[in-house]
C-alpha cells in the first residue's frame, strides 16, 4: 500500500436491534462509524472518533484494534452506549426506526486527539451535523472530506447540515435522502439541486440498484449493484460502501476521477458483503483477497465488452 | 445493415389515456406492438401482427408504413380499437390501470400471413399468452423468439404462459413481474426460479434502474439505466427496450452473448427516449444518429475505465 494514508472517521458506535422478514438480531454491534471503520480497514489504517458507554464490551474494542483501527479518539463515558432498533419490510430497501436511545451520544463533544488534527482523509459518518461541524473546525489541512447524513438531520437540522456541505469534497447519501433534501423525485434534477449546496461531488446510493456519481462539472458515473442472493440485513450498507470507497481512495492517496470511479466499485463490493450478515459478521471476516474475487465477478457482469464501445 | 433480418412482432395496438403527476394525454397511440415496432424499426424492417378497429385513423397507418413497418399482418376489424387508461404515481415506476376495453382484441385470432411464417426473429409482445401460442404454432423455423408478458396473464393465465415459456429463447419481464411470478422478492432467487420454466435467457427490466440478464449457464450482465432528467410517461418503456434490443440483434443477425449484451445497451438507450414523451412522440422522431449520441454518453457514464479492470 505505497502512499497509503490513514482515514479519520467520526460517527456512531451503537448496539442495534434489527428485525427483517426472515430473522432478527438483538443488541449487536452497529453504528455508522463501526461499519465504516470495519470496511475501510481493509485498505488503510483507520482512526475512530466516537463515544461508547461503560457497557461497551472489551471484546469489541479488541476486534477494532486487531483490525488496525486506532481507538485513541474513542471516548468511554459513564452511561449506556447509543442504541437503535429498526425493522425492514420485505423490500429490504425500506426500513422503519422503532426506537432510538441516544444515551452517551448526548454528551459527545467530538474532540479530536491532537495527533488526529492533521488527518488527510476524513469521513463524517452519519451523526448530528453539529458534531460534524465541530470536527471540521479542528482539522488542520485535510486533503479530502466526505460526508454522509440521514433523514433525521435533513428534517430537523438542515441549517447545520448546509454549513457542513459548504466545506466538504464528496457527499454520499441515499436516493431517498436526496429526494427528501430537494423535494424532487427525479434523481438527475435532485442531484443538480444538491450540487448547488457546495462544491462537492455527489454520490447517490440506490440500495440494491447500485450507485451514481454526479460532479460539479457534469460528469456522471453509474454502476449497478452486485446481484446478491442472500440479503440478511441492509443495516450499515451505506457506511460500508463509504468505507470501501474512502478506504480505496486513501490507500491510493488520489482523488482524480478515475480513482473515484474505481473507489465506487470497491465501495459497492464491500457493501455487498456487509448486507450478507447481521452487524459486522461479514465485514470482520473479509480480506482483500475475498473482495478481489467478487470484484472480478462484478467486472465480468458489468464490464461493457470492448467491442461495445465501437458504436454502430 | 449487412445480414439484417426482419422481425415479426405480435402484440397490441391501442389508444392509451394516461395521467402522470405532471401531465396527461388522451386517446394517444399506444400498445405493446406499437412501441416495439417503432423502436425496432430503427434497426431493421418490422412485420406487425395486430388488430385495430375501424376507428383507427389512417395517419397512424401511414406513419407505421413510412417507418418501414409492414402492415400485411394488421387486421382492421369492425368495432373499436383496444383502449387502455392508466395513472402513474409520483414514483414513475408504479402505475395503476384505471380502465381496459378489449374491443376488437376479443375477436383477434393472430393468423399470420403466409409470407410471415418463415420469420427468423419473432417478438411475442405483451398480449394474451393464448395468442402468443397460436403464433408459435404457425412459425416454420424461427431463429430467435423473445417474449414479454404482464401481471394480468401471470395471475389469470399462468398455464398458457408456461407453455409459451417452454418454446422461447429470451424472456423479458419487469422486476415486479418476476417477483409476482415466483413469490420471491430477491431478484437473483426469482431469476433462478424463472429460468427453470424453460431453456431461455432472462432479462429483468428494472424501470429507472436498468436491466439485468441471467442465462441458463449462470452468466449475469447488469446495466444501469441512462439517467434521465425528464420522464414524461413511462408507458411503453419495456416494449421500446425490447424493440431496441431485438432490433439490434436482428440487424446483426447474431445471438451470441456479446451481441446480446450490446443489444441490451441499445434497448436501454431506445427506452430512455421513449419515456421522454407521450405515445410514440419521441420514438417517431428518433434516428440512429440520435441513438448513437446518447449511447456514447451512456458508455462514458458506465464504462469501467480500462484501468479499473486491473484488480488491485
Amino acid at each position: 500500500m505505497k502512499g497509503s494514508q490513514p482515514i479519520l472517521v467520526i460517527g456512531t458506535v451503537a448496539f442495534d436491534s434489527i428485525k427483517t422478514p426472515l430473522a432478527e438480531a438483538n443488541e449487536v454491534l452497529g453504528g455508522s462509524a463501526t461499519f465504516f471503520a470495519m470496511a475501510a480497514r481493509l485498505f488503510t489504517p483507520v482512526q475512530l472518533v466516537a463515544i461508547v458507554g461503560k457497557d461497551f464490551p472489551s471484546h469489541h474494542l479488541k476486534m477494532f484494534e486487531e483490525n488496525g483501527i486506532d481507538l485513541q479518539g474513542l471516548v468511554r463515558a459513564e452511561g449506556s452506549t447509543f442504541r437503535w432498533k429498526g425493522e425492514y419490510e420485505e423490500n429490504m430497501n425500506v426500513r422503519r426506526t422503532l426506537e432510538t436511545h441516544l444515551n452517551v451520544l448526548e454528551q459527545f463533544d467530538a474532540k479530536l486527539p491532537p495527533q488526529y488534527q492533521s488527518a488527510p482523509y476524513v469521513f463524517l459518518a452519519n451523526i448530528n451535523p453539529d458534531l460534524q461541524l465541530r470536527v471540521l473546525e479542528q482539522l488542520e489541512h485535510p486533503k479530502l472530506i466526505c460526508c454522509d447524513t440521514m433523514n433525521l438531520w435533513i428534517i430537523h437540522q438542515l441549517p447545520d447540515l448546509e454549513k457542513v456541505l459548504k466545506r466538504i469534497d464528496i457527499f454520499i447519501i441515499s436516493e431517498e435522502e436526496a429526494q427528501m433534501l430537494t423535494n424532487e423525485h427525479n434523481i438527475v434534477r435532485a442531484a443538480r439541486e444538491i450540487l448547488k449546496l457546495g462544491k462537492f461531488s455527489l454520490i447517490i446510493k440506490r440500495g440494491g440498484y447500485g450507485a451514481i456519481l454526479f460532479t460539479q462539472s457534469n460528469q456522471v458515473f453509474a454502476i449497478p449493484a452486485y446481484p446478491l442472493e442472500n440479503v440478511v440485513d441492509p443495516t450499515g450498507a451505506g457506511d460500508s460502501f463509504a468505507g470501501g470507497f474512502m478506504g480505496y481512495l486513501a490507500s491510493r492517496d488520489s482523488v482524480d476521477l478515475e480513482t473515484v470511479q474505481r473507489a465506487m466499485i470497491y465501495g459497492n463490493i464491500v457493501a455487498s458483503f456487509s448486507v450478507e450478515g447481521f452487524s459486522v459478521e461479514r465485514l470482520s471476516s473479509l480480506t482483500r483477497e475475498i473482495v478481489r474475487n467478487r470484484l472480478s465477478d462484478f467486472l465480468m457482469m458489468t464490464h461493457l465488452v470492448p467491442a461495445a464501445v465501437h458504436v454502430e
Side-chain angles (χ1 to χ4, degrees), chain A residues 37-58:
Chain A
M38 287 300 291
R41 61 94 199 173
L42 284 160
F43 301 92
T44 207
V46 177
Q47 300 164 336
L48 177 66
V49 177
I51 191 169
V52 294
K54 291 291 188 200
D55 58 349
F56 196 76
S58 56

Side-chain angles (χ1 to χ4, degrees), chain A residues 192-208:
Chain A
R192 183 167 306 148
E193 286 308 305
I194 295 169
L195 287 173
K196 289 179 188 160
L197 300 174
K199 292 178 175 169
F200 50 80
S201 293
L202 173 66
I203 294 175
I204 298 181
K205 298 168 290 180
R206 314 181 92 179

Side-chain angles (χ1 to χ4, degrees), chain A residues 219-237:
Chain A
Q219 280 149 319
V220 176
F221 181 64
I223 50 174
Y226 181 85
L228 281 178
E229 193 169 340
N230 289 304
V231 178
V232 173
D233 174 18
T235 309

